[in-house]
Amino acid sequence: MSRVAIFGGHGKIALRLAPLLVARGHEVGAIIRNPEHVNDVANAGATPVVADIETLDVEKIAALIDGFDAVVWSAGAGGGDPKRTYAVDRDAAIRSVDASGRAGVSRYVMVSYFGAGPDHGVDPGTSFHAYADAKASADEYLRTTSLEWTILGPSALTLEPGTGSITTRDAGATGASVTRDDVAAAIAAALDDKSTVGRFIEFDNGDTPIADALRG
C-alpha cells in the first residue's frame, strides 16, 4: 500500500481515480479548494484535504503532501480567465513539483493533454492558448527535475463509459477522444508501472488494454 495525493481532487477524473486507487490498496488524499466538496471526495474513498493551492507557497504545499508516496496533478483553473489559468496550471503546478522534491515524494504523475509542449501551435488569439502555454511550461519544468515523473496526455475528454482500452500516439493515436473513466484507469496503472517513468504518453481510446498500452 502507498499513499497517493491527488491535486484537483474534486475533478471529474479525480473522482473516478480515487476509488480505483483504493481498490488497488492505496490510501488517497484528495486536495480540494471548496469545503462543500468534502462529502463527494469522501464518498469516492479519499480523505479530503481542504487547501487553496493557488495561494500556497512551496513550503505549505510540501507540508500538505508530507508522508505521501506519490502525487497526481489533476488540478486546473478550468479555462476562462487567462491570469488564473497561469496561476493554477503553470505556477501552482510548478510549486507542487518543487514541494514534492522538498517533501521527499519522488513519484509524480502529471495529467496534461494530447499535443502539449512548447511547439503546441495554439493560436495566441484563442481562448485555449493560455492553457496550452501554461501546461507546456509546467510539463517542461517537471522534465528537468529528478522526480520519477510521468506525463499523461489524454486527447479530448468524454463522459462515455470506460472501455478499458487505449491507443498511444506511438502506436498511431491521432488525438481523437478518450473517456474520463479510461484516463483515470491510465493514471492508476501508470502510478504502479515503473516503465512509465520519464515518459510523456499521449493516448486516445483504442484497442489495447490500458496496462499493456502504457508499457508500449
Side-chain angles (χ1 to χ4, degrees):
M1 182 183 75
S2 65
R3 300 186 69 214
V4 181
I6 306 174
F7 287 96
H10 191 258
K12 291 183 176 69
I13 290 172
L15 289 175
R16 290 163 167 78
L17 173 61
L20 297 181
L21 294 176
V22 171
R24 287 171 173 254
H26 301 303
E27 181 181 338
V28 180
I31 299 165
I32 56 175
R33 182 173 59 90
N34 189 341
E36 293 181 2
H37 295 157
V38 162
N39 288 340
D40 292 342
V41 167
N43 289 338
T47 300
V49 179
V50 180
D52 186 357
I53 55 171
E54 186 177 351
T55 63
L56 296 185
D57 61 18
V58 171
E59 184 176 345
K60 289 179 180 177
I61 296 174
L64 281 182
I65 59 177
D66 183 47
F68 283 89
D69 304 295
V71 161
V72 174
W73 179 269
S74 187
D81 179 10
K83 182 177 179 180
R84 185 160 186 267
T85 295
Y86 282 113
V88 176
D89 294 273
R90 182 190 64 192
D91 301 340
I94 287 173
R95 290 197 301 273
S96 79
V97 171
D98 287 341
S100 296
R102 184 170 299 188
V105 185
S106 60
R107 188 73 175 105
Y108 192 109
V109 174
M110 175 78 80
V111 181
S112 189
Y113 71 96
F114 198 107
D119 57 349
H120 55 73
V122 177
D123 184 344
T126 67
S127 60
F128 190 69
H129 181 265
Y131 176 77
D133 195 44
K135 292 302 292 182
S137 296
D139 293 355
E140 288 302 299
Y141 187 82
L142 178 59
R143 288 183 172 97
T144 69
T145 72
S146 59
L147 297 179
E148 295 179 348
W149 58 265
T150 302
I151 301 172
L152 296 177
S155 55
L157 303 173
T158 77
L159 290 171
E160 297 298 316
T163 68
S165 297
I166 59 174
T167 296
T168 65
R169 187 166 191 167
D170 289 344
T174 60
S177 65
V178 63
T179 74
R180 286 177 171 82
D181 286 343
D182 290 318
V183 175
I187 297 168
L191 276 168
D192 290 338
D193 185 351
K194 291 292 187 179
S195 77
T196 67
V197 171
R199 295 168 57 203
F200 175 34
I201 305 172
E202 299 165 279
F203 58 95
D204 294 334
N205 273 126
D207 53 13
T208 304
I210 289 170
D212 295 337
L214 293 178
R215 282 193 291 270

